[in-house]
Each structure stands twice: as C-alpha cells, then as structure tokens.
Amino acid sequence: MPAWAQDIAVRGETLYTMAGEPIADGIVVIEDGMISAVGPASSTPMPSGMQVMTAKVVTPGLVDAHSTVGLSGYLNQPHDQDQLEKSSPIQPELRAIDAYNPKERLVQWVRELGVTTLHTGHGPGALISGQTMIVKTTGETVDDAVVVPRAMVAANLGSWALDNSGKAPGTRSKQIALLRGALVKAQNAANAPAKKDAPAKRDLMVEAMRDVLDGKVPLMVTAWRAQDILSALRLKEEFGIELVIDGAADAYLVIDELREAGVSVILHPPRARQFGDLENASFDTGAKLRDAGIPFAYQSGFEAYVPKTRVVLWEAAVGAANGLGMEDALKAITIDAAALIGVSEKVGSLEVGKHGDVAMFNGDPFETTNFVTGVVIEGVVVSNEAR
C-alpha cells in the first residue's frame, strides 16, 4: 500500500461495483489505499471532511488482460522496444520485471484512459518470448508498480512465430516439436536423480518450464487460427499444464473444444486489423464465448506500429455493441479480467477490502463521445482531467 495514499470518496450518479447490481447515487470510500465502504450515498458512512470526487458513472479501475505496454514504448524506436528478444526462439527465462519501464509515456497514456492494472510482458514474434507480469499503472520504479512479478510464460504459435530465414521453427509442426521438447527437457530434469556430492547446475530455461509443469504459472499461448488453438489444447492434455489461450481470432470455430478443455481466453482486440492469421476475426466472438460459458477477457494486445497498443475501453465497446451488452463488456475489462489473470482478490470490483482503484466517466463508458474524467489508484488521484 502506498504511503502517500489519500483518504478519498468517489460518488457517482451510477456506480458499477461489478459485485452486484449498479447503485444509483452510489459512493465508494477509500482509506489508506483500500476500499472501506461502498453503497448508496444516503446510507454509506463516510468520515467527516473527506475529499469527495464526483462523476456521472463510476467503475472499478480497468484491467487490461494482456499487453506489452511498459516493455514496448510509444516512440517505436529500438531504445524503447524490449518486448521481443530475437536471438533465440525459446527464452522462457526472460523476466518482464527486468524490462518494464513504469515511466514510459505509454503507461501514462493508458492510465489516463482508466487502466489501473496491466498484465504485460514479452510479446509475439518468438516461440517462447519470455514471462509476463502484473503491475499497477503507477509508481516511480518497477518495484512500486509490481503486483505479481511473474504471471505467465508467453508462447506463440502460427505465422507470427515462424522464422522465414531458414532457422527453426519454419513450420507449425516444428513449433509444436520445439515446445514439446522444452517441456520434456524440464520433465527429464525434474525426474533425474541427484548426483551425490555434485552441486546442482542451474538452467534458467528448464526452471521456468518446470514451473509451468508444476502448475506454478500458466502457459499463455497466443494462437489465432483454429489449428493452432487445437495444437495448444493437445499440449495441455499431454502434459497436464494450465493453459490460457491468447488472441484466439478463430475461437468461435472451436467453441466445443475450448469448453471441454476448461481453458480461459484472453480475446484479441475486436478492432485488430483482420488479415493474415486474424483474417477470420469477428466483433461478436466475445458474446459467443460468454454464451458458451468460457471465461474470457479483452486485451489491448500488441501492434507492430505506433503507439504499440490499443485501449481495452474502446475494444470492449465494440464487444458491447456486438451482442455482449454494456455490463458484460464492462466485466470483461474489470472483474472477469482480474479473475482470469489471478488477481480478483485485489482488484476488478469495488468491494470492501480491495484496492482503491476507480475510474470515472462523464457518461456511458462505451460511448465514444464521452470521456474518462478521473482515475484513482490505491487512493491516489493519478488523473483528474478529461481524456
């Protein structure tokens, strides 16, 4: 909890707690960075003299379920592009915490647009590009920002992770063979008998993959096409690992298989450009996953051009307009996103005992003519201008 956290209350004409029905004229009270009370303004106790901010609509701080922000920067120049290391196709030992820059302007930009929690890390372009982490979009140092230093190991299937220069992997079968080989190597290391009087030799790649095998961290596989999604599901079944499917442009084509496998989906930004492996992407995939009972959340993702990211608020708006509806779309960037990345006990809803993270709007959050009018993170007002 930040030492500079303020005691503050936020009052909204409509308060979406994401833990029940919306509250008309609701208020959330934050003390020492944590939510101490929430409910109707007429009946919710509040310490006298507390600063009160007001807005037409108040929601939990937004949760971006997958991004590269903080590793990729807005300038799109080599010095601010740390989301991808190209020297090897398999590098699960790369730690996002060693590359994240909390002062990157792109972090500030998404924060001003209501994003308070970010699942970020190494991005697409390599078979296993590295690890991800969960941060708050504030803090002077990465240690100030970090919530979970290692959240998932990021893998990638399909054309984005193929090598066209004659090096491996050059085909989809080689991608799966290399992934399987990395898991088998870690499996063999775990089963190898200890050598008497010989100090154990550390292998950072093996250690990272052993943690996947042991269920300490999920393997997040970015897979766009149905064939790649199904290949990832086969690996899950073969090794008994926890798997999260990321991207999933073709998810609606394999709904039954996803549901049977019991996986969660971090769905692509609906407005991502629909070509290549995303040629079958659809605006209504979120609604189809919801209807099938498959846990999912929206993400900002990674773009190969400036400013390197989309904004989950605007992406969820597309889902809302294409079968998902306002409240389910809001869940997909608040409580459902927090649950998917494993931090729903801390963020994602306005409940007593959770972090005091709040986003304020001058109307319907998904109406493109409206604005974010204020953002609070753990009781600190980090933005109070219309964005």
Side-chain angles (χ1 to χ4, degrees):
M1 190 180 327
W4 59 88
Q6 302 161 241
D7 290 345
I8 189 171
V10 181
R11 185 171 181 173
E13 291 182 17
T14 304
L15 179 68
Y16 290 93
T17 69
M18 311 318 296
E21 293 299 314
I23 301 172
D25 190 18
I27 194 165
V28 54
V29 181
I30 303 168
E31 297 180 272
D32 295 326
M34 308 294 285
I35 298 174
S36 61
V38 59
S42 60
S43 59
T44 301
M46 182 180 68
S48 61
M50 178 175 277
Q51 177 187 354
V52 179
M53 300 180 71
T54 61
K56 284 187 175 294
V57 174
V58 174
T59 75
L62 307 184
V63 180
D64 187 339
H66 186 208
S67 174
T68 63
V69 168
L71 281 78
S72 58
Y74 85 108
L75 291 175
N76 198 32
Q77 298 298 313
H79 74 268
D80 70 351
Q81 301 301 301
D82 281 329
Q83 74 279 358
L84 180 62
E85 169 63 47
K86 298 181 179 180
S87 60
S88 172
I90 298 180
Q91 300 180 92
E93 69 274 18
L94 299 185
R95 303 194 315 164
I97 198 171
D98 295 328
Y100 181 78
N101 177 12
K103 296 183 178 181
E104 165 55 47
R105 180 62 182 85
L106 210 50
V107 175
Q108 178 185 345
W109 187 59
V110 299
R111 180 177 68 229
E112 292 168 347
L113 292 167
V115 177
T116 59
T117 301
L118 195 64
H119 175 217
T120 189
H122 293 90
L127 184 60
I128 303 180
S129 57
Q131 300 171 17
T132 65
M133 66 186 298
I134 299 170
V135 296
K136 292 295 184 69
T137 54
T138 188
E140 291 297 308
T141 70
V142 67
D143 295 310
D144 294 334
V146 67
V147 177
V148 179
R150 184 184 54 165
M152 302 184 191
V153 170
N156 302 274
L157 295 177
S159 64
W160 286 23
L162 292 175
D163 191 306
N164 297 318
S165 67
K167 298 179 181 179
T171 64
R172 281 177 162 81
S173 56
K174 186 65 172 181
Q175 286 180 333
I176 296 301
L178 288 173
L179 266 179
R180 182 178 288 112
L183 289 163
V184 168
K185 183 178 179 180
Q187 215 171 42
N188 290 341
N191 296 329
K195 294 182 180 180
K196 188 176 180 180
D197 300 326
K201 293 182 179 180
R202 295 191 64 185
D203 185 320
L204 296 180
M205 187 274 280
V206 167
E207 289 177 11
M209 298 308 289
R210 279 185 63 177
D211 284 347
V212 171
L213 288 170
D214 293 342
K216 294 180 179 178
V217 293
L219 183 67
M220 179 184 67
V221 177
T222 299
W224 303 100
R225 294 190 182 274
Q227 67 182 109
D228 297 318
I229 295 171
L230 295 177
S231 292
L233 296 183
R234 285 195 297 274
L235 281 179
K236 170 183 167 57
E237 183 177 2
E238 180 177 349
F239 291 95
I241 58 176
E242 183 179 351
L243 177 71
V244 174
I245 297 294
D246 174 73
D250 287 7
Y252 60 90
L253 299 175
V254 289
I255 288 284
D256 292 342
E257 290 84 354
L258 288 167
R259 184 171 49 216
E260 184 178 347
V263 299
S264 299
V265 174
I266 304 177
L267 189 59
H268 64 86
R271 296 188 299 178
R273 293 186 293 178
Q274 298 178 6
F275 68 95
D277 281 358
L278 283 79
E279 64 184 353
N280 298 320
S282 172
F283 287 168
D284 65 359
T285 303
K288 291 177 179 176
L289 291 172
R290 188 263 325 264
D291 293 344
I294 297 170
F296 86 97
Y298 282 118
Q299 61 173 303
S300 61
F302 168 79
E303 299 290 346
Y305 53 90
V306 175
K308 292 297 186 184
T309 186
R310 294 180 179 270
V311 178
V312 287
L313 175 64
W314 303 334
E315 297 303 325
V318 176
N322 285 271
L324 199 54
M326 188 274 184
E327 290 194 38
D328 282 343
L330 189 57
K331 286 180 181 179
I333 55 173
T334 55
I335 189 59
D336 288 354
L340 196 156
I341 63 176
V343 291
S344 58
E345 77 284 359
K346 294 182 175 71
V347 301
S349 61
L350 300 177
E351 299 181 82
V352 172
K354 288 194 174 184
H355 294 184
D357 299 349
V358 180
M360 290 161 266
F361 303 85
N362 66 345
D364 182 343
F366 296 139
E367 172 55 61
T368 56
T369 58
N370 290 336
F371 299 94
V372 179
T373 58
V375 181
V376 175
I377 298 180
E378 294 184 46
V380 178
V381 179
V382 295
S383 177
N384 59 6
E385 296 182 11
R387 299 293 190 212

